[in-house]
Amino acid sequence: MAIETAVQTYKNLVNGEWVESASGATFDSTNPAQADEVVGRFQASTEDDVIQAIEAAERAFETWKTTAPSKRAEILYKAADLLEAGLEQYAQELTREEGKTLASSRMEVKRSAQTLRYYASEGMNIAGETLPSDDPTTFVYTRKEPLGVVTVITPWNFPISIPVRKIAPALVTGNTVVFKPASDTPLIALRLVEALHNAGLPAGVINFVTGSASKTAKPLVTHPAVKAVTFTGSTGAGESINRSVRLSTRVQLELGGKNPLLVMEDADVEQAAELAIKGGFELTGQACTGTSRVLVMDSVHDAFVEALIAKTEKLTVGSGLQKGVEVGPLANASQLKNVLEYVEIGKAEGAELVYGGEHLNDGEYANGYFVRPAIFTKVQPDMRIAQEEIFGPVISVIRVTSFEQAMQIANDVEFGLSASICTSDAKRIQSFIGGIQSGVVKVNRPTTGNAPNVPFGGVKMSSTATYRESGRGALEFYTQIKSVYHGV
């Protein structure tokens, strides 16, 4: 039975007011390390709530689009300060709600403040261009203008940093926002909205609704006032959004991954094992850029596996709030079930489970969604565990005999988000960079991690591959070009 003591109920933000859902219903956000602990109670919103939020955003757009760029930037800078001022509280709440370690939560909140400041600065540099004209009496130039209402739909694995890298560029370019976070992590999302609201955003510029996708998604995607949808989540959900939007609605989708780490014969085996663990296990494997396949040259395969197992054995699994814990719980019961099912699938397919994979459910683990990180060897490229996104702490090691074979296997999946190689061979590095089918490429670095000022996104089924997130390029998604012929 869920613990009811001092459970706070949080509201939606619509048109600058904190309001309850028209449904009168709520849902609980719980702690994945202690599932009977309720972190907060949130509004179970309906389509009517979403429509009200969209209409509020549409009205606010008329004023916000003409707000001075310096004023927009000022609000983002202040929101960043507010996030940092509440760092310890927000990191604790993020860990209680999502499960990641406290160190990772602190880093995520800090990164979110950094992203706000980055886009506050970049927002002062949005400009069109002047163009030559055959007619000397005509001045030809372009303007970059905001789109209008943008809906932001985000996942639970990076529940503040993914929203902020969508919301900040949307706001600084003059758009208004309706934000629906994942139902597993609404509290840290609300803290971001609070920071922006308290920093002085006018009513309706940002609106916040919580609830299940099944009861809120339709107007978020199909309402005529929605001019852009930015979504991060599963490939299946992304495909559904892409099929549903209106012809004139922009879509930005960042989806799944099945990210390879190639370990060549000249690799530092200890370093390669560290990179595999960082990419595959650090966030309990719950990252779209997580390392899920390691393609290892035959000559170093056994040494690599030995190092990988030895290092994984030293990882401490537990509540992210506890000191020394390196692997937290999975985010929810569904995630736990999914990972455990894939462990059984791997064994049934003939892969060898050489470490971990068991459900931890005794003692301190009794009420949480814990699994020991799993390592499979003797994995064949066509096995499901080598083809499908597991989104958990499961690494499949695939033995290869040449760089060419490794590249062929690395590319032979439907995804193309992130990929890395461990080698010191300059020619091979360039061949990897040029030949890998991936939007993010790393060399002697983990497949995870991206900087706020660097474009992020995938190819193939990992993305719509239209507009990138992060960096200056992200601003392009939220602006449209108007061409002007000005007779003089």
Side-chain angles (χ1 to χ4, degrees), residues 58-323:
E58 186 178 25
R59 292 191 299 271
F61 176 66
E62 294 306 312
T63 302
W64 182 245
K65 69 180 180 181
T66 60
T67 300
S70 59
K71 177 61 177 178
R72 296 179 198 152
E74 179 186 327
I75 292 171
L76 264 60
Y77 280 125
K78 187 173 180 181
D81 293 342
L82 291 172
L83 282 185
E84 286 189 342
L87 175 63
E88 284 306 311
Q89 174 192 336
Y90 300 155
Q92 289 267 347
E93 289 175 343
L94 201 169
T95 293
R96 286 178 63 218
E97 189 173 51
E98 197 274 345
K100 65 183 61 179
T101 66
L102 199 53
S104 294
S105 292
R106 288 193 187 101
M107 188 181 303
E108 184 171 346
V109 175
K110 287 180 181 177
R111 174 64 60 86
S112 300
Q114 182 184 4
T115 300
L116 284 168
R117 294 192 179 106
Y118 172 77
Y119 282 112
S121 175
E122 286 297 323
M124 299 297 294
N125 298 312
I126 299 166
E129 59 181 345
T130 59
L131 299 162
S133 173
D134 286 343
D135 181 355
T137 65
T138 302
F139 176 40
V140 180
Y141 62 98
T142 64
R143 293 162 50 95
K144 287 188 177 179
E145 298 184 345
L147 304 175
V149 179
V150 176
T151 56
V152 174
I153 308 169
T154 58
W156 45 259
N157 59 330
F158 291 96
I160 185 169
S161 63
I162 289 178
V164 81
R165 76 186 188 207
K166 296 173 183 289
I167 292 170
L171 294 177
V172 83
T173 49
N175 300 279
T176 54
V177 170
V178 177
F179 171 32
K180 195 204 87 68
S183 294
D184 284 306
T185 52
L187 180 55
I188 191 63
L190 178 138
R191 297 306 187 202
L192 169 61
V193 172
E194 278 184 337
L196 290 163
H197 177 66
N198 293 337
L201 273 185
V205 173
I206 189 163
N207 303 272
F208 174 77
V209 291
T210 56
S212 68
S214 63
K215 295 183 179 178
T216 60
K218 186 176 180 181
L220 285 169
V221 173
T222 65
H223 193 288
V226 173
K227 303 305 179 186
V229 179
T230 176
F231 168 84
T232 298
S234 72
T235 297
E239 284 188 294
S240 177
I241 290 172
N242 205 38
R243 287 192 299 267
S244 301
V245 293
R246 295 161 62 90
L247 179 64
S248 58
T249 303
R250 281 192 184 177
V251 182
Q252 179 185 63
L253 306 175
E254 291 303 332
L255 310 172
K258 193 65 181 175
N259 312 294
L261 171 66
L262 278 62
V263 181
M264 297 292 100
E265 68 274 13
D266 65 334
D268 180 327
V269 168
E270 293 293 318
Q271 180 196 39
E274 290 283 358
L275 294 178
I277 287 171
K278 185 174 180 62
F281 297 152
E282 188 175 74
L283 297 161
T284 323
Q286 298 176 129
C288 55
T289 53
T291 304
S292 58
R293 299 178 294 153
V294 185
L295 285 58
V296 189
M297 290 290 279
D298 181 68
S299 60
V300 295
H301 175 276
D302 293 350
F304 171 81
V305 170
E306 183 180 342
L308 183 64
I309 293 173
K311 292 176 185 297
T312 304
E313 285 176 336
K314 296 178 182 178
L315 296 177
T316 302
V317 179
S319 167
L321 294 173
Q322 295 176 351
K323 284 188 176 181

